[in-house]
Amino acid sequence: KLWDLMKTKVMLFLIVGMLGNMAIASLINPAQNVIQSIVSPSTLQNGVGSLFGNLIFLVGVSIFRTYLMDKNWRYTFVATGTIMAMNGIFQFIMIYNVGGFGQTGWFFVFGNNILAIIQGVAQVLSSLAVVEIAPKGFEASVYEFLTTMHNAGITLNLNIMGLLQPIFGVTSIINNGYACQKGCPG
């Protein structure tokens, strides 16, 4: 039964969707690691940011279950993808240090985790797709297979981002060099 499901067009589209969504549509700023080096958030800031991200993820799950369960999932997917793409606004605030707070550790950790609410919605949405197509008794296997495709997309995303860093010239930026551009003594 499971092999028959793997040979269907629906499963092919789910695999391509998972890989494409994570590898291409969810590309983050190639300078993300450089920005993190400049901002240098503390361990406390990273911990609080992760806690906030996990809590807001649960809020996203709750929003989907409460308000979006009976809506058209295609629109929900497109809307969440669009909102995820708007994460670039947070990146520009960090790059240009808008308002003098864009390159603080607190803004960095909250700005990167605020969109976890969308990931919560997407998590439930992908789980429901599994329930719709999986043969009875194979739900966990299908879910884990699609999770593997999702994780493979993340790995591909990081590799693509690494390839883009030299193209945009961000690999040579380090914290000391950045500080000196702002005005080093001597």
Side-chain angles (χ1 to χ4, degrees):
K1 287 183 178 182
L2 190 57
W3 179 243
D4 289 336
L5 174 66
M6 294 297 168
K7 296 186 292 184
T8 64
K9 187 186 279 188
V10 170
M11 194 60 159
L12 173 66
F13 287 162
L14 281 172
I15 292 168
V16 170
M18 288 286 185
L19 286 172
N21 188 41
M22 289 313 302
I24 307 298
S26 296
L27 271 176
I28 60 173
N29 183 355
Q32 180 70 20
N33 294 335
V34 175
I35 292 171
Q36 185 171 2
S37 171
I38 292 167
V39 172
S40 299
S42 69
T43 305
L44 174 66
Q45 290 168 331
N46 279 324
V48 170
S50 294
L51 176 65
F52 173 73
N54 289 333
L55 290 173
I56 199 114
F57 176 87
L58 294 174
V59 169
V61 169
S62 177
I63 287 171
F64 185 88
R65 292 181 62 204
T66 306
Y67 302 108
L68 302 172
M69 185 74 89
D70 58 348
K71 305 293 184 223
N72 188 327
W73 295 348
R74 289 180 187 100
Y75 296 129
T76 303
F77 181 77
V78 170
T80 55
T82 302
I83 294 170
M84 286 293 285
M86 290 171 41
N87 186 38
I89 295 168
F90 292 113
Q91 299 297 321
F92 281 120
I93 291 171
M94 284 184 248
I95 291 169
Y96 294 110
N97 197 18
V98 174
F101 63 85
Q103 292 180 0
T104 63
W106 289 112
F107 184 81
F108 180 81
V109 297
F110 283 110
N112 284 330
N113 286 313
I114 193 112
L115 294 178
I117 194 167
I118 302 304
Q119 293 170 341
V121 171
Q123 172 72 25
V124 179
L125 188 60
S126 65
S127 298
L128 290 174
V130 168
V131 171
E132 291 286 326
I133 66 159
K136 185 175 179 158
F138 290 98
E139 292 87 357
S141 298
V142 173
Y143 177 79
E144 289 302 321
F145 179 77
L146 288 175
T147 300
T148 302
M149 293 299 103
H150 179 268
N151 293 339
I154 292 171
T155 303
L156 187 56
N157 178 308
L158 294 173
N159 287 322
I160 292 170
M161 188 181 72
L163 292 171
L164 293 175
Q165 285 179 339
I167 293 170
F168 291 109
V170 296
T171 54
S172 62
I173 301 172
I174 57 170
N175 195 14
N176 293 338
Y178 179 76
C180 286
Q181 287 177 358
K182 289 182 170 180
C184 273

